[in-house]
Amino acid sequence: MSEKLWDGRFTEGTDKLVERFTSSIDYDRKLYAYDIEGSIAHCTMLAKVGVLTDEERDTLIRGLEQVRGEIEAGEFRYTDSLEDIHMHIESRLAEVVGRVAQKLHTARSRNDQVALDIRMYLRAETRYVISALRSLRKALADLAEKQMGVILPGYTHTQRAQPVLLSHHLMAYYEMFTRDMARFEDCLKRINVMPLGSAALAGTTYPIDRHHTAELLDFPEVSANSMDSVADRDFAVEFMAGASLCMVHLSRISEEFILWSTSEFAFIEISDAFTTGSSIMPQKKNPDVCELVRGKTGRVLGDLMALLTLMKSLPMAYNRDMQEDKEPLFDAVDTLKMCVDVYARMLPHVRFRADVMEKATATGFLNATDMADYLVTKGMPFRQAHGVVGRAVSVALSQGKELHELSLEALRGFSDLISDDLFAFLTTEQMVNRRRSFGGTASENVGQAIAAAHKALEGEK
Ligand code: ARG
């Protein structure tokens, strides 16, 4: 006799290559714990509504628990001929408890079963990601607090632009990851919906109580349309879109850390525990963690694209295509988790070289905007001031000097509104601390932003 659970109408056995081709057991075995928990809830509900006796329920639950034990002990046998984790568990259950196992699948289909398992899996993983992002944000806020007072050039177009606090720069990432976390919290609401009982697509003739199943599995909501329940994976697309954005944010901080750890920048040094050496060049200390996070961003964006493309144009309701949702989803989840975790761990091990950063603020005309602002305080319209300073920059450049290295006499040649109070106006600290507009880089603002972050983090506990 065949071990398949669906071959009543078949007269020929499945081709071996087709078995290999259609099998998903290599990866969907990851869902075993959710599958068993879902089945236990399902038969508990079936007993409550009288479809199963209490005795049958208890036998099934005991059998399911034994199967779980076998899987966890590594004693479970996997085979392509049983396709997926759902079939494996049910088939082993039959060996363990006998004929009563055939009743477990009453009022259920693999279509709603797999939808349930994925939602339970993704719900747990999303909660993990949320707490990991909280740790990452905490690490950033702590670092920003510790580095308070350090000034570095802020860049636009990767060209030195205006001086900013390092803490302000770090808190920019705090903001990005805060939004990422909010996206995951929001998408969790749509993941956390219970699809079981939708059966193959149309619902079921048995008098089931889906709300009871939902209660048993701690779902606040039951899906409203049986076809939609088995047909869509939009909740997974949302998660992966959130994961993609979060990875894009991580790739940007990675790119900066890679640049900053070059000898050309030398703004940071990443500790030995988070870097690796070269097999041929003894002097090397490479920022591999950052590079890998930057690289892995591509995988997650690809995973999102794979799922979107998979779902595009699928007719209602379930289609076997959808079995292909799991590998990209699992990959995106595993990759994101690892990247967020490794960053939260690495951040305290990054040494910021305040001396090099401050030195870098002294060149590159970072005070040009402020010199224009100075002229504005003396009554000159901004556009005109912009032109005056532009001419001063051009002259300074030709002499290999910075603006503040020109003599007062030379500066007055550009505008007689300039007097010797200009030099104090152009110190780096002054430039930073004058930017007190809400969200600006002044120490006072950044200190408040950090305090607000700590307060928010406390409140999330
Ligand atoms: N392994 C399948 C999947 O992951 C389970 C659902 C199969 N349903 C079916 N009617 N063949 O999508």
Side-chain angles (χ1 to χ4, degrees):
M1 222 188 92
S2 147
E3 52 183 354
K4 290 200 169 43
L5 302 174
W6 44 253
D7 63 356
R9 62 156 290 176
F10 289 75
T11 50
E12 261 185 282
T14 316
D15 182 281
K16 282 289 159 215
L17 186 59
V18 171
E19 274 188 349
R20 183 85 275 264
F21 184 68
T22 54
S23 167
S24 54
I25 190 60
D26 289 350
Y27 46 89
D28 67 16
R29 48 199 279 191
K30 203 178 188 121
L31 298 173
Y32 82 90
Y34 304 111
D35 199 70
I36 289 175
E37 205 185 327
S39 289
I40 291 176
H42 182 61
C43 63
T44 305
M45 179 280 290
L46 288 179
K48 178 180 174 259
V49 300
V51 173
L52 292 179
T53 66
D54 287 357
E55 202 194 330
E56 287 169 332
R57 173 198 61 201
D58 295 344
T59 309
L60 286 169
I61 292 178
R62 231 178 298 116
L64 285 162
E65 275 162 358
Q66 181 181 326
V67 175
R68 174 160 55 198
E70 290 173 5
I71 294 175
E72 280 165 6
E75 291 159 2
F76 198 82
R77 192 181 71 93
Y78 297 99
T79 162
D80 283 340
S81 67
L82 283 172
E83 281 185 49
D84 57 24
I85 188 64
H86 325 292
M87 293 298 205
H88 274 78
I89 290 171
E90 198 184 321
S91 163
R92 178 65 190 139
L93 183 67
E95 290 171 0
V96 173
V97 302
R99 281 178 64 86
V100 63
Q102 298 183 3
K103 296 198 174 183
L104 176 64
H105 212 52
T106 313
R108 181 174 89 168
S109 149
R110 262 190 299 160
N111 298 349
D112 55 341
Q113 190 179 354
V114 72
L116 174 69
D117 292 3
I118 298 173
R119 284 176 181 273
M120 288 175 73
Y121 158 81
L122 197 54
R123 169 173 78 173
E125 297 294 3
T126 304
R127 286 178 181 149
Y128 181 91
V129 167
I130 290 168
S131 80
L133 278 172
R134 185 184 173 277
S135 305
L136 176 59
R137 288 163 53 237
K138 168 100 170 60
L140 278 165
D142 287 348
L143 197 56
E145 188 172 337
K146 191 170 151 212
Q147 298 296 334
M148 202 56 197
V150 176
I151 299 174
L152 81 164
Y155 293 78
T156 63
H157 314 269
T158 328
Q159 305 284 325
R160 285 183 193 169
Q162 291 172 354
V164 292
L165 285 182
L166 171 59
S167 305
H168 195 51
H169 193 125
L170 294 168
M171 287 302 285
Y173 285 107
Y174 171 89
E175 294 293 332
M176 295 179 216
F177 295 123
T178 300
R179 289 193 298 277
D180 288 333
M181 198 176 107
R183 266 184 280 274
F184 286 116
E185 278 167 345
D186 192 57
C187 116
L188 184 57
K189 294 181 212 147
R190 285 173 294 280
I191 295 170
N192 209 2
V193 177
M194 209 290 295
L196 201 69
S198 301
L201 77 164
T204 176
T205 55
Y206 296 94
I208 58 171
D209 182 351
R210 298 186 59 213
H211 291 88
H212 186 60
T213 313
E215 220 171 279
L216 293 170
L217 295 172
D218 202 23
F219 278 97
E221 214 179 309
V222 175
S223 64
N225 180 297
S226 61
M227 294 181 78
D228 174 44
S229 311
V230 294
D232 209 351
R233 295 289 183 264
D234 56 355
F235 60 93
V237 171
E238 274 190 58
F239 174 92
M240 283 157 92
S244 297
L245 266 174
C246 186
M247 287 299 300
V248 165
H249 292 150
L250 284 169
S251 78
R252 298 183 67 176
I253 196 170
S254 296
E255 172 73 7
E256 293 203 314
F257 281 3
I258 292 162
L259 272 177
W260 287 1
S261 60
T262 58
S263 22
E264 285 73 10
F265 269 87
F267 282 3
I268 60 170
E269 200 184 314
I270 303 174
S271 87
D272 289 359
F274 291 85
T275 49
T276 58
S278 157
S279 56
I280 171 166
M281 296 168 281
Q283 84 281 14
K284 293 274 275 186
K285 180 164 154 177
N286 298 326
D288 294 38
V289 169
C290 304
E291 291 174 290
L292 278 169
V293 170
R294 187 175 61 177
K296 283 173 189 290
T297 304
R299 298 170 71 116
V300 176
L301 305 196
D303 291 332
L304 167 66
M305 216 33 68
L307 187 59
L308 279 170
T309 313
L310 169 69
M311 296 308 295
K312 178 187 171 295
S313 312
L314 279 187
M316 292 282 256
Y318 175 84
N319 298 271
R320 189 63 179 267
D321 313 45
M322 289 160 72
Q323 178 166 293
E324 292 285 312
D325 60 355
K326 283 166 217 62
E327 282 170 295
L329 179 61
F330 294 167
D331 184 65
V333 166
D334 293 343
T335 307
L336 177 68
K337 276 164 55 182
M338 212 152 46
C339 293
V340 174
D341 284 344
V342 79
Y343 252 88
R345 235 168 124 106
M346 182 177 72
L347 281 176
H349 298 271
V350 179
R351 187 165 78 86
F352 291 86
R353 307 212 24 207
D355 53 332
V356 182
M357 290 182 170
E358 309 236 27
K359 212 166 135 211
T361 61
T363 53
F365 300 97
L366 275 81
N367 50 14
T369 313
D370 285 74
M371 183 166 155
D373 289 344
Y374 168 89
L375 291 169
V376 171
T377 66
K378 305 275 167 163
M380 189 183 283
F382 182 80
R383 210 24 92 205
Q384 188 189 342
H386 186 283
V388 167
V389 178
R391 284 188 288 282
V393 166
S394 163
V395 168
L397 268 175
S398 69
Q399 300 176 8
K401 287 181 175 163
E402 288 288 323
L403 286 173
H404 54 274
E405 289 168 348
L406 296 173
S407 66
L408 181 60
E409 200 194 348
L411 285 163
R412 284 181 61 83
F414 299 106
S415 164
D416 55 15
L417 292 176
I418 293 174
S419 59
D420 65 358
D421 59 353
L422 174 69
F423 297 101
F425 197 88
L426 293 188
T427 63
T428 319
E429 283 75 20
Q430 288 259 0
M431 289 194 282
V432 165
N433 288 326
R434 258 198 310 273
R435 289 183 161 69
R436 270 190 300 265
S437 55
F438 184 78
T441 193
S443 304
E444 202 183 315
N445 299 24
V446 176
Q448 281 166 5
I450 295 171
H454 282 306
K455 198 162 161 231
L457 287 161
E458 270 309 301
E460 288 162 19
K461 266 195 184 153

XYZ file of all heavy atoms in Angstrom, residues 199-266:
524
model
N -11.068 25.644 5.137
C -10.954 24.386 4.398
C -10.308 24.618 3.035
O -9.468 25.504 2.903
C -12.294 23.689 4.315
N -10.701 23.870 2.014
C -9.992 23.983 0.734
C -10.149 25.372 0.139
O -9.192 25.982 -0.333
C -10.496 22.930 -0.237
N -11.358 25.903 0.173
C -11.623 27.267 -0.312
C -13.008 27.771 0.058
O -13.245 28.975 0.110
C -11.444 27.365 -1.835
C -12.556 26.802 -2.737
C -12.371 27.341 -4.142
C -12.622 25.309 -2.749
N -13.944 26.846 0.324
C -15.348 27.268 0.409
C -15.926 27.209 1.810
O -17.104 27.480 2.009
C -16.175 26.383 -0.518
N -15.083 26.852 2.797
C -15.636 26.615 4.121
C -16.001 25.144 4.242
O -15.643 24.337 3.386
N -16.731 24.790 5.287
C -16.998 23.369 5.531
C -18.434 23.143 5.992
O -19.090 24.062 6.498
C -16.005 22.815 6.582
O -16.340 21.457 6.860
C -16.085 23.598 7.877
N -18.904 21.916 5.799
C -20.276 21.567 6.190
C -20.379 21.206 7.681
O -21.472 21.109 8.217
C -20.746 20.344 5.379
O -19.795 19.281 5.574
C -20.828 20.665 3.901
N -19.235 20.991 8.317
C -19.264 20.608 9.743
C -19.560 21.844 10.608
O -19.183 22.962 10.245
C -17.922 19.985 10.154
C -17.649 18.705 9.412
C -16.896 18.713 8.240
C -18.157 17.488 9.862
C -16.663 17.548 7.538
C -17.927 16.315 9.173
C -17.180 16.349 8.007
O -16.951 15.189 7.314
N -20.171 21.607 11.766
C -20.565 22.742 12.621
C -19.394 23.272 13.451
O -19.452 23.277 14.677
C -21.635 22.118 13.524
C -21.173 20.698 13.683
C -20.559 20.309 12.369
N -18.315 23.682 12.777
C -17.101 24.077 13.513
C -17.272 25.437 14.181
O -18.144 26.226 13.817
C -15.859 24.110 12.576
C -16.088 25.079 11.406
C -15.537 22.703 12.076
C -14.831 25.317 10.580
N -16.403 25.692 15.146
C -16.388 26.977 15.854
C -15.009 27.603 15.660
O -14.084 27.384 16.435
C -16.673 26.734 17.346
C -16.712 28.035 18.138
O -16.350 29.108 17.573
O -17.098 27.984 19.320
N -14.888 28.370 14.596
C -13.584 28.951 14.246
C -13.108 29.933 15.311
O -11.909 30.102 15.520
C -13.656 29.635 12.878
C -14.005 28.665 11.734
C -13.920 29.369 10.383
N -12.597 29.899 10.142
C -12.342 31.002 9.458
N -13.334 31.709 8.935
N -11.112 31.418 9.292
N -14.067 30.591 15.954
C -13.660 31.546 16.993
C -13.029 30.830 18.182
O -12.116 31.356 18.814
C -14.846 32.429 17.407
C -15.245 33.367 16.307
N -16.145 33.023 15.318
C -14.818 34.614 16.017
C -16.260 34.028 14.465
N -15.473 35.010 14.870
N -13.510 29.614 18.427
C -12.902 28.847 19.509
C -11.461 28.454 19.140
O -10.546 28.586 19.966
C -13.746 27.591 19.813
C -13.247 26.836 21.012
N -13.168 27.406 22.273
C -12.768 25.570 21.139
C -12.669 26.515 23.124
N -12.425 25.387 22.464
N -11.264 27.983 17.916
C -9.898 27.669 17.462
C -9.003 28.899 17.613
O -7.864 28.805 18.086
C -9.906 27.227 15.975
O -10.941 26.264 15.785
C -8.575 26.646 15.565
N -9.532 30.048 17.209
C -8.756 31.295 17.289
C -8.365 31.593 18.738
O -7.225 31.966 19.033
C -9.557 32.453 16.702
N -9.321 31.366 19.629
C -9.051 31.617 21.044
C -7.946 30.689 21.560
O -7.027 31.121 22.258
C -10.337 31.327 21.812
C -10.656 32.282 22.940
C -12.066 31.983 23.434
O -13.036 32.468 22.783
O -12.183 31.233 24.409
N -8.056 29.426 21.178
C -7.068 28.448 21.627
C -5.664 28.799 21.135
O -4.673 28.556 21.814
C -7.441 27.045 21.111
C -8.707 26.429 21.699
C -9.082 25.160 20.928
C -8.510 26.112 23.185
N -5.594 29.387 19.947
C -4.283 29.695 19.360
C -3.894 31.161 19.561
O -2.933 31.643 18.978
C -4.282 29.340 17.863
C -4.436 27.849 17.551
C -4.625 27.628 16.044
C -3.219 27.071 18.046
N -4.687 31.847 20.373
C -4.388 33.229 20.714
C -4.366 34.169 19.501
O -3.475 35.011 19.363
C -3.047 33.282 21.474
C -2.931 34.555 22.302
O -3.978 35.131 22.637
O -1.786 34.977 22.583
N -5.355 33.994 18.643
C -5.545 34.938 17.532
C -6.682 35.885 17.892
O -7.773 35.413 18.230
C -5.944 34.186 16.247
C -4.790 33.581 15.496
C -4.456 32.244 15.668
C -4.060 34.344 14.593
C -3.401 31.672 14.967
C -3.003 33.775 13.881
C -2.674 32.441 14.073
N -6.478 37.189 17.805
C -7.548 38.126 18.146
C -8.640 38.191 17.078
O -9.701 38.764 17.311
C -6.827 39.473 18.262
C -5.582 39.317 17.474
C -5.214 37.867 17.495
N -8.369 37.635 15.913
C -9.304 37.823 14.804
C -9.401 36.548 13.963
O -8.423 35.798 13.858
C -8.766 38.943 13.914
C -9.815 39.818 13.272
C -9.155 40.905 12.420
O -8.259 41.613 12.914
O -9.526 41.005 11.250
N -10.581 36.346 13.344
C -10.802 35.195 12.466
C -10.980 35.737 11.047
O -11.660 36.745 10.848
C -12.071 34.429 12.909
C -12.400 33.304 11.938
C -11.883 33.872 14.318
N -10.384 35.093 10.067
C -10.494 35.593 8.690
C -11.951 35.519 8.230
O -12.677 34.576 8.561
C -9.589 34.785 7.764
O -10.013 33.444 7.718
N -12.356 36.503 7.432
C -13.779 36.680 7.136
C -14.240 35.986 5.867
O -15.435 35.776 5.671
C -14.097 38.174 7.044
N -13.314 35.613 4.984
C -13.713 35.032 3.706
C -12.840 33.817 3.428
O -11.615 33.928 3.370
C -13.566 36.088 2.600
C -13.952 35.560 1.225
O -13.314 34.623 0.706
N -14.955 36.137 0.621
N -13.482 32.657 3.273
C -12.705 31.415 3.178
C -11.800 31.399 1.948
O -10.700 30.843 1.991
C -13.653 30.216 3.161
O -14.500 30.282 2.035
N -12.234 32.001 0.860
C -11.403 32.003 -0.353
C -10.172 32.883 -0.162
O -9.042 32.492 -0.445
C -12.230 32.457 -1.564
C -13.341 31.472 -1.906
S -14.301 31.976 -3.342
C -13.197 31.506 -4.670
N -10.425 34.079 0.355
C -9.315 34.993 0.644
C -8.319 34.341 1.600
O -7.103 34.474 1.436
C -9.895 36.289 1.241
C -8.817 37.246 1.720
O -7.824 37.427 0.981
O -8.967 37.802 2.827
N -8.838 33.620 2.583
C -7.974 33.027 3.625
C -6.922 32.080 3.068
O -5.822 31.994 3.586
C -8.810 32.215 4.616
O -9.912 32.930 5.055
N -7.300 31.326 2.030
C -6.352 30.355 1.489
C -5.618 30.897 0.259
O -4.650 30.295 -0.206
C -7.049 29.016 1.107
C -7.580 28.330 2.360
C -8.158 29.242 0.087
N -6.089 32.039 -0.264
C -5.570 32.507 -1.552
C -4.486 33.568 -1.439
O -3.727 33.763 -2.380
C -6.709 33.067 -2.406
N -4.422 34.265 -0.312
C -3.500 35.406 -0.303
C -2.327 35.206 0.631
O -2.417 34.467 1.619
C -4.244 36.708 0.065
C -3.581 37.925 -0.587
O -2.474 37.766 -1.161
O -4.149 39.028 -0.527
N -1.240 35.860 0.278
C -0.048 35.896 1.138
C 0.373 37.355 1.315
O 1.551 37.645 1.504
C 1.096 35.100 0.505
C 0.832 33.604 0.381
C 0.862 32.890 1.730
N 0.684 31.459 1.558
C -0.510 30.842 1.670
N -1.605 31.528 1.954
N -0.592 29.537 1.494
N -0.586 38.245 1.244
C -0.211 39.663 1.319
C 0.450 40.006 2.646
O 1.339 40.851 2.716
C -1.406 40.584 1.032
C -2.601 40.346 1.935
O -2.583 39.400 2.755
O -3.580 41.123 1.820
N 0.072 39.305 3.704
C 0.684 39.565 5.007
C 2.183 39.262 4.971
O 2.979 39.937 5.623
C -0.027 38.753 6.107
C 0.031 37.260 5.895
C 1.050 36.518 6.472
C -0.906 36.599 5.104
C 1.127 35.146 6.276
C -0.826 35.229 4.901
C 0.191 34.497 5.480
N 2.549 38.239 4.189
C 3.979 37.903 4.070
C 4.693 38.920 3.175
O 5.849 39.281 3.430
C 4.149 36.497 3.504
N 3.994 39.397 2.153
C 4.572 40.440 1.302
C 4.844 41.688 2.142
O 5.911 42.303 2.050
C 3.631 40.796 0.120
C 4.141 42.021 -0.629
C 3.504 39.608 -0.839
N 3.883 42.029 2.998
C 4.077 43.197 3.869
C 5.290 43.036 4.760
O 6.082 43.959 4.929
C 2.852 43.379 4.783
C 1.740 44.159 4.177
C 0.693 44.495 5.231
O 1.034 45.130 6.247
O -0.474 44.121 5.042
N 5.395 41.852 5.355
C 6.547 41.611 6.220
C 7.834 41.792 5.419
O 8.785 42.430 5.863
C 6.508 40.193 6.819
C 7.750 39.875 7.603
C 7.801 40.126 8.963
C 8.885 39.371 6.960
C 8.971 39.871 9.683
C 10.052 39.116 7.675
C 10.086 39.356 9.031
N 7.850 41.225 4.213
C 9.084 41.278 3.424
C 9.370 42.671 2.893
O 10.537 43.039 2.712
C 9.014 40.252 2.301
C 9.278 38.856 2.862
S 8.616 37.581 1.842
C 9.984 37.214 0.790
N 8.331 43.447 2.675
C 8.551 44.845 2.283
C 9.177 45.592 3.463
O 10.125 46.370 3.295
C 7.233 45.489 1.850
N 8.647 45.322 4.659
C 9.236 45.933 5.859
C 10.668 45.469 6.062
O 11.549 46.257 6.399
N 10.895 44.182 5.814
C 12.251 43.631 5.963
C 13.193 44.273 4.947
O 14.342 44.591 5.266
C 12.223 42.115 5.772
N 12.679 44.483 3.741
C 13.516 45.086 2.694
C 13.938 46.499 3.091
O 15.110 46.871 2.967
C 12.761 45.136 1.365
O 12.480 43.827 0.930
N 12.985 47.274 3.569
C 13.308 48.646 3.983
C 14.309 48.647 5.127
O 15.257 49.434 5.137
C 12.033 49.360 4.440
C 11.325 50.166 3.376
C 10.005 50.687 3.917
C 12.199 51.331 2.927
N 14.089 47.756 6.068
C 14.986 47.683 7.216
C 16.392 47.296 6.757
O 17.386 47.864 7.220
C 14.418 46.669 8.213
S 15.325 46.590 9.739
N 16.484 46.367 5.824
C 17.790 45.981 5.287
C 18.427 47.136 4.516
O 19.640 47.323 4.557
C 17.656 44.754 4.372
C 17.385 43.452 5.089
S 18.648 42.915 6.275
C 20.099 42.772 5.228
N 17.602 47.898 3.804
C 18.145 49.063 3.082
C 18.752 50.043 4.092
O 19.848 50.573 3.892
C 17.057 49.720 2.204
C 17.489 51.109 1.747
C 16.749 48.840 0.987
N 18.064 50.239 5.208
C 18.625 51.115 6.249
C 19.931 50.551 6.790
O 20.923 51.270 6.951
C 17.610 51.305 7.386
C 16.408 52.108 6.965
N 15.156 51.922 7.517
C 16.275 53.087 6.039
C 14.314 52.767 6.951
N 14.968 53.479 6.051
N 19.937 49.238 7.041
C 21.164 48.606 7.533
C 22.291 48.697 6.503
O 23.456 48.850 6.854
C 20.905 47.139 7.887
C 20.161 46.883 9.197
C 19.741 45.417 9.290
C 21.021 47.249 10.408
N 21.920 48.611 5.224
C 22.961 48.676 4.189
C 23.583 50.071 4.138
O 24.750 50.225 3.800
C 22.394 48.297 2.818
O 21.667 49.373 2.249
N 22.799 51.072 4.504
C 23.341 52.437 4.462
C 24.302 52.681 5.612
O 25.371 53.269 5.426
C 22.190 53.452 4.469
C 21.310 53.295 3.235
C 20.220 54.332 3.182
N 20.799 55.668 2.987
C 20.067 56.768 2.834
N 18.744 56.689 2.849
N 20.645 57.925 2.664
N 23.945 52.236 6.805
C 24.878 52.406 7.920
C 26.119 51.548 7.652
O 27.249 51.956 7.950
C 24.201 52.111 9.284
C 25.056 52.669 10.431
C 23.945 50.646 9.518
C 24.355 52.644 11.775
N 25.924 50.396 7.020
C 27.066 49.530 6.685
C 28.013 50.232 5.728
O 29.228 50.241 5.917
C 26.582 48.233 6.035
O 25.812 47.489 6.946
N 27.423 50.811 4.697
C 28.239 51.520 3.704
C 29.039 52.637 4.383
O 30.220 52.843 4.096
C 27.318 52.089 2.619
C 27.976 53.011 1.619
C 28.875 52.281 0.630
O 28.885 51.041 0.625
O 29.590 52.966 -0.123
N 28.409 53.352 5.297
C 29.123 54.439 5.981
C 30.242 53.887 6.852
O 31.350 54.430 6.873
C 28.153 55.241 6.838
C 27.159 55.998 5.985
C 26.555 57.187 6.692
O 26.144 57.043 7.865
O 26.500 58.256 6.066
N 29.956 52.805 7.562
C 30.994 52.231 8.422
C 32.156 51.698 7.590
O 33.308 51.763 7.999
C 30.412 51.126 9.318
C 29.665 51.670 10.521
C 29.482 53.024 10.717
C 29.167 50.794 11.483
C 28.804 53.517 11.835
C 28.496 51.264 12.606
C 28.306 52.631 12.784
N 31.842 51.153 6.426
C 32.906 50.653 5.546
C 33.784 51.818 5.090
O 35.008 51.762 5.170
C 32.299 49.893 4.344
C 31.631 48.597 4.826
C 33.362 49.585 3.301
C 30.651 47.979 3.836
N 33.116 52.880 4.649
C 33.871 54.076 4.237
C 34.667 54.656 5.401
O 35.835 54.999 5.256
C 32.895 55.160 3.761
C 32.477 55.183 2.310
C 31.447 56.289 2.101
C 33.680 55.422 1.401
N 34.004 54.753 6.523
C 34.638 55.401 7.685
C 35.797 54.595 8.233
O 36.646 55.131 8.930
C 33.598 55.615 8.795
C 32.622 56.710 8.495
C 32.557 57.476 7.376
C 31.569 57.163 9.351
N 31.524 58.376 7.470
C 30.897 58.201 8.680
C 31.113 56.788 10.621
C 29.816 58.879 9.227
C 30.033 57.463 11.166
C 29.390 58.501 10.466
N 35.831 53.303 7.958
C 36.943 52.521 8.491
C 38.099 52.425 7.493
O 39.106 51.785 7.775
C 36.470 51.129 8.931
O 35.923 50.443 7.835
N 37.997 53.067 6.332
C 39.139 53.120 5.404
C 40.221 54.021 5.989
O 39.926 54.898 6.808
C 38.739 53.719 4.036
O 38.217 55.043 4.264
C 37.680 52.887 3.338
N 41.467 53.847 5.550
C 42.502 54.769 6.052
C 42.289 56.159 5.484
O 42.759 57.141 6.042
C 43.914 54.257 5.788
O 43.934 53.334 4.747
N 41.539 56.256 4.363
C 41.256 57.574 3.801
C 40.381 58.395 4.763
O 40.608 59.568 4.983
C 40.560 57.432 2.445
C 41.490 57.020 1.294
C 41.927 55.552 1.340
O 41.361 54.778 2.154
O 42.840 55.190 0.577
N 39.368 57.762 5.340
C 38.516 58.456 6.322
C 39.100 58.302 7.728
O 39.310 59.287 8.420
C 37.103 57.867 6.310
C 36.159 58.545 5.370
C 36.078 58.149 4.038
C 35.335 59.577 5.814
C 35.192 58.767 3.170
C 34.450 60.196 4.951
C 34.377 59.781 3.618
N 39.283 57.064 8.138
C 39.770 56.730 9.488
C 38.927 57.348 10.600
O 39.440 57.738 11.640
C 41.237 57.118 9.630
